[in-house]
Amino acid sequence: MIAGMPDSDHPDIRGLHLFAQMSDERFLALMRGSYVQNFPPQVDLITEGDPSDFLHVILSGVVELTSAWNGRETTMATVRPVSTFILAATIKDAPYLMSAKTLERSRIALIPSQDVRNVFDTDSEFARAIVTELAQCYRSVVKAQKDLKLRTSLERLANYLLRQQMLTGEGSQFALQLEKRKLASFLGMTPENLSRAFKGLQPYGVAVNGNQITVTDRDELLQFARPTPLIDDFSI
Amino acid sequence: MIAGMPDSDHPDIRGLHLFAQMSDERFLALMRGSYVQNFPPQVDLITEGDPSDFLHVILSGVVELTSAWNGRETTMATVRPVSTFILAATIKDAPYLMSAKTLERSRIALIPSQDVRNVFDTDSEFARAIVTELAQCYRSVVKAQKDLKLRTSLERLANYLLRQQMLTGEGSQFALQLEKRKLASFLGMTPENLSRAFKGLQPYGVAVNGNQITVTDRDELLQFARPTPLIDDFSI
DNA sequence: CGCTATGTTGATCCATATCAATAAGTGTGG
DNA sequence: CCACACTTATTGATATGGATCAACATAGCG
């Protein structure tokens, strides 16, 4: 078995809203049973349908969450540091609904689900923090579903680009954080269609060069994309 | 203003998992600030984007949750007694992401969101119950998203019918709980396409007469639909 | 009993998927 | 460091699922 978690990783995890309010004692108890591991790229961390043995916390790298059915596969989300994933399955002691694999070399903390449930049962501050986290997750998925049901793929891409521009600091140029084929799957389309969608946004002032996106006319793009906080604002 | 909630409604609400573990004292305090109202069909209860003033509990009738964007509208869910809706917005004190309207004459309890948040802050049992509820909601939406991204509309309909058959007691004949145009929107298609999808399921042993569905060959339908608990089982 | 909303059917259009070919990266081993 | 293999991205041609438009039927409902 792997050694416990190095103390040096504690601050990163402690910084998460989920663990911030917890007593030192309980936090250390959680950390004692946990461990941290470095994974190379393309490693399967979780397979959908498996029992949820560990709450995962990504400390560095990138993790992709996917689901599959009947031979088809889709990217549900990508997770970046520092955040937890598959919290709901841990809490409900239910099977994972998504698979997870590393896209880059990643440092992942694994906290035994049973320990998380134990703390949840005894520490009401922790329970409250979980509520906030889950409410946030829930609302994010509802927004994603609205995005899928109410928008065409061109509109989804346009709004995605605007959100990315926001996240990367409002500059007119920024880099895609995702391989295009993953982005296509995430947005619910094929890679070929994504290629054409980028072309379709040219008239609205979007230029693409590799993974570099330049928004030459933000107003034009905004007018086409019509973003709304009720779909595109991840902070509410 | 409307009078408070009749005591006769308390047991229904108390029976919800969300309120079951709470102390009598706190429960009564919540109920004192709440009220119950009977609404005719087609009444708008909630408009997306509005601040979440009340946690709603449907005691009888049917409520539809919809979202709109850019002139388009889609049915996100229908809610039946006895259950709460728009819990996440209440907890986060954030705007509603969906609109709600009655489809039939409905009896709805309205619990001031601020009261819910107050109890949430002081009653850790309640906070824990909310976690379970939200985790359930979250997983349901994830399943819905998988349904949308991984299946064609014909496959979604087939699996929907199998789920309905399950819910209505496994009989080979059952009634659709939803107007077909709402069902179409819920499944992410047009009414015309739904009409044709029903025809498309005939070869797999599905017969339709008005809102009466008869599954003449369940095995055939199962083989086509390929349901999986990771999408279609709402209890895990 | 008619009016209006819902459902069906047919014709056509459009968005997106699929298939196929090519180009451009990216990583690996010699 | 380059050659090779392999994956990813683009582009074109075509197919298809699903939307839209239009006409009609039907069923609730006042």
Side-chain angles (χ1 to χ4, degrees):
Chain A
M1 195 53 183
I2 301 94
M5 183 182 299
D7 290 0
S8 58
D9 286 316
H10 291 187
D12 283 344
I13 298 174
R14 190 65 148 143
L16 288 172
H17 171 260
L18 196 55
F19 300 103
Q21 299 303 319
M22 184 176 258
S23 75
D24 281 336
E25 187 189 0
R26 285 214 179 82
F27 180 72
L28 286 172
L30 257 192
M31 292 305 102
R32 263 195 295 278
S34 309
Y35 60 97
V36 173
Q37 210 171 343
N38 287 301
F39 296 95
Q42 308 300 329
V43 169
D44 289 327
L45 301 170
I46 281 173
T47 303
E48 63 176 317
D50 283 358
S52 50
D53 296 327
F54 296 96
L55 176 63
H56 290 58
V57 184
I58 177 170
L59 299 171
S60 74
V62 187
V63 168
E64 179 188 28
L65 303 181
T66 63
S67 286
W69 178 80
N70 210 18
R72 293 163 221 166
E73 194 190 54
T74 190
T75 298
M76 299 289 285
T78 51
V79 192
R80 285 165 196 283
V82 178
S83 55
T84 65
F85 55 93
I86 326 243
L87 175 60
T90 292
I91 291 301
K92 287 213 65 175
D93 196 7
Y96 296 122
L97 294 179
M98 303 182 257
S99 301
K101 77 157 184 266
T102 57
L103 292 184
E104 303 174 0
R105 177 177 168 77
S106 301
R107 189 169 173 80
I108 313 273
L110 300 156
I111 309 175
S113 293
Q114 188 56 57
D115 294 356
V116 175
R117 288 191 290 271
N118 287 343
V119 176
F120 167 72
D121 286 338
T122 52
D123 183 334
S124 55
E125 274 314 309
F126 186 54
R128 263 183 265 280
I130 290 177
V131 165
T132 312
E133 182 93 354
L134 279 179
Q136 178 71 46
C137 291
Y138 171 73
R139 287 170 64 89
S140 291
V141 192
V142 169
K143 286 171 196 164
Q145 200 180 329
K146 291 169 67 173
D147 194 43
L148 273 173
K149 290 186 80 175
L150 291 167
R151 288 172 172 165
T152 66
S153 61
L154 199 61
E155 289 163 345
R156 289 198 295 277
L157 176 60
N159 282 291
Y160 176 86
L161 293 179
L162 286 169
R163 292 196 303 263
Q164 282 302 117
Q165 189 183 23
M166 199 77 81
L167 288 174
T168 55
E170 306 269 336
S172 74
Q173 185 168 349
F174 59 95
L176 292 177
Q177 299 294 307
L178 226 58
E179 207 173 279
K180 282 181 186 167
R181 60 171 32 237
K182 307 273 187 211
L183 175 58
S185 178
F186 174 69
L187 293 175
M189 55 177 119
T190 58
E192 296 95 322
N193 192 26
L194 177 63
S195 248
R196 288 168 180 130
F198 274 122
K199 288 229 167 6
L201 290 181
Q202 259 173 231
Y204 303 104
V206 175
V208 185
N209 191 328
N211 70 348
Q212 288 298 310
I213 306 294
T214 312
V215 176
T216 59
D217 190 340
R218 186 152 210 276
D219 286 344
E220 192 71 26
L221 186 56
L222 278 168
Q223 203 174 327
F224 171 75
R226 297 189 174 275
T228 160
L230 299 180
I231 300 181
D232 302 289
D233 190 337
F234 286 166
S235 65
I236 63 169
Chain B
M1 195 54 183
I2 301 94
M5 183 183 299
D7 290 358
S8 59
D9 286 317
H10 290 186
D12 283 344
I13 298 173
R14 191 63 148 146
L16 287 172
H17 171 261
L18 197 56
F19 300 103
Q21 299 303 318
M22 183 176 259
S23 74
D24 281 337
E25 186 190 358
R26 286 215 178 81
F27 181 73
L28 287 172
L30 258 192
M31 293 304 102
R32 261 195 297 277
S34 309
Y35 60 98
V36 172
Q37 209 171 343
N38 287 302
F39 295 95
Q42 307 301 330
V43 170
D44 289 326
L45 301 170
I46 282 174
T47 303
E48 62 175 318
D50 283 358
S52 50
D53 295 328
F54 296 97
L55 176 64
H56 289 58
V57 183
I58 177 168
L59 300 170
S60 74
V62 187
V63 169
E64 179 188 28
L65 303 181
T66 62
S67 286
W69 178 79
N70 210 18
R72 296 163 218 165
E73 194 189 55
T74 189
T75 299
M76 300 288 285
T78 52
V79 193
R80 286 164 196 284
V82 177
S83 54
T84 64
F85 54 95
I86 327 244
L87 176 60
T90 292
I91 291 300
K92 287 214 64 172
D93 196 7
Y96 296 122
L97 294 180
M98 302 183 257
S99 300
K101 77 157 184 264
T102 58
L103 292 183
E104 302 174 359
R105 175 176 168 78
S106 301
R107 188 167 172 80
I108 313 271
L110 300 156
I111 310 176
S113 293
Q114 189 55 59
D115 294 356
V116 175
R117 287 191 290 270
N118 288 344
V119 176
F120 167 73
D121 286 337
T122 53
D123 184 335
S124 55
E125 274 313 309
F126 186 54
R128 264 183 264 280
I130 290 177
V131 166
T132 312
E133 182 93 355
L134 279 179
Q136 178 71 47
C137 291
Y138 170 73
R139 287 170 64 89
S140 292
V141 193
V142 169
K143 286 172 196 163
Q145 200 182 329
K146 290 169 66 173
D147 195 42
L148 273 173
K149 290 186 80 176
L150 291 167
R151 288 172 172 164
T152 66
S153 61
L154 199 60
E155 290 163 345
R156 289 199 295 276
L157 176 61
N159 281 291
Y160 176 86
L161 293 179
L162 286 168
R163 292 196 303 261
Q164 282 303 115
Q165 189 183 23
M166 199 77 80
L167 288 173
T168 55
E170 307 270 334
S172 74
Q173 187 169 350
F174 60 94
L176 291 177
Q177 300 293 307
L178 226 59
E179 207 173 277
K180 282 182 187 168
R181 62 176 24 243
K182 307 273 188 210
L183 175 58
S185 178
F186 175 68
L187 293 175
M189 55 177 122
T190 57
E192 295 95 322
N193 193 23
L194 178 63
S195 246
R196 289 167 182 134
F198 274 123
K199 288 226 164 12
L201 290 180
Q202 259 172 230
Y204 303 103
V206 175
V208 185
N209 191 327
N211 69 350
Q212 288 297 309
I213 307 294
T214 311
V215 176
T216 58
D217 190 340
R218 187 154 210 275
D219 286 343
E220 192 71 27
L221 185 57
L222 277 168
Q223 204 175 326
F224 172 75
R226 296 189 174 274
T228 160
L230 299 179
I231 300 180
D232 303 289
D233 190 337
F234 286 168
S235 66
I236 63 168

